[in-house]
Amino acid sequence: MEGIQEEKLSQKILIIVGDGGESFETWFAKHRFEEAGFKVVVAAPEKRRLHLVIHDFEPGWDTYKERSGYVMASDITFEQVDVKDYFAVVCIGGRSPEYLRNNPRVIAILQEFDKLEKWIWALCHGVQLPAAAGLVKGKRVTCYEHVRLEVETCGGTYVKEKAVRDGRLVTCPTWVEHPEFYQLVFQCIAESAAKK
């Protein structure tokens, strides 16, 4: 852990989210990385208070139910992101990826993270963003089960696991799998620290 401590002090992690982003995934990511000593920057279409949501399951429903969640203020806009400044990017799930995947700047950000060989971490529907950026092709990926078709259409291989790492891409199905997801994420961080 000492190597991780030294590595993270100078590192920033970017969170990509917008209105309709999953509340628990967003706040957990922010708090988990800040707790570990990283600087977290939340990027959204606009710099303002974001309306996050809660996705949960109710008996008798065929799909998840959405309710209003905690709000969060974004720090910067997507246009203000300089990928070179960041160690990794986290793609939050919820409903926001369904429209953020159509944002050319979001796609360019993710493609630059990939080009610069930086970490890309995606939860739940968040995998729609690297998929739209062409970054799941030839990769083993897990995600919310109803995003499976999108992953496979974009050339990825869906695997039903709690968390999956393929190269610099780490994915998980929902916030329920946070423990397994963050175990892999912090393994990535430890690897980077060991290479310094």
Side-chain angles (χ1 to χ4, degrees):
M1 291 298 283
E2 289 178 14
I4 293 175
Q5 184 66 29
E6 292 169 8
E7 170 70 14
K8 67 192 174 188
L9 292 175
S10 62
Q11 300 292 345
K12 291 197 292 187
I13 293 176
L14 182 70
I15 291 179
I16 290 180
V17 69
D19 287 335
E22 218 293 325
S23 178
F24 184 56
E25 290 176 12
T26 311
W27 276 106
F28 190 92
K30 180 174 171 57
H31 288 160
R32 182 65 188 91
F33 290 120
E34 287 177 343
E35 173 190 39
F38 290 91
K39 177 167 176 53
V40 176
V41 178
V42 177
E46 298 174 60
K47 186 178 175 184
R48 62 170 173 80
R49 183 175 159 133
L50 302 173
H51 306 283
L52 304 178
V53 299
I54 296 168
H55 281 173
D56 209 348
F57 297 91
E58 299 284 345
W61 282 62
D62 291 328
T63 186
Y64 56 83
K65 185 174 182 179
E66 183 175 289
R67 297 188 297 271
S68 293
Y70 291 110
V71 297
M72 176 185 286
S74 57
D75 299 305
I76 60 173
T77 68
F78 296 135
E79 298 303 323
Q80 295 173 301
V81 173
D82 184 345
V83 173
K84 294 187 297 294
D85 292 343
Y86 297 92
F87 173 73
V89 61
V90 183
C91 301
I92 298 296
R95 197 162 26 87
S96 64
E98 76 182 35
Y99 67 90
L100 294 181
R101 64 184 165 169
N102 297 303
N103 184 316
R105 179 61 186 145
V106 171
I107 299 305
I109 288 168
L110 289 170
Q111 289 172 338
E112 190 173 353
F113 265 93
D114 183 60
K115 183 179 177 182
L116 295 176
E117 299 185 346
K118 293 174 179 266
W119 300 106
I120 300 171
W121 303 323
L123 302 104
C124 196
H125 285 75
V127 79
Q128 290 177 304
L129 301 181
L135 305 181
V136 301
K137 187 174 183 181
K139 299 281 190 182
R140 293 175 69 252
V141 176
T142 192
C143 56
Y144 181 59
E145 60 188 343
H146 296 300
V147 186
R148 174 181 180 169
L149 179 61
E150 195 163 343
V151 164
E152 293 175 339
T153 301
C154 292
T157 300
Y158 171 81
V159 290
K160 189 171 183 173
E161 294 180 18
K162 291 186 174 183
V164 173
R165 176 181 170 190
D166 192 331
R168 289 172 284 102
L169 178 66
V170 178
T171 54
C172 75
T174 71
W175 51 259
V176 174
E177 292 80 21
H178 272 170
E180 294 82 7
F181 176 75
Y182 282 98
Q183 283 176 9
L184 291 182
V185 163
F186 277 87
Q187 285 174 17
C188 296
I189 293 168
E191 269 183 35
S192 292
K195 290 177 182 176
K196 293 288 182 179

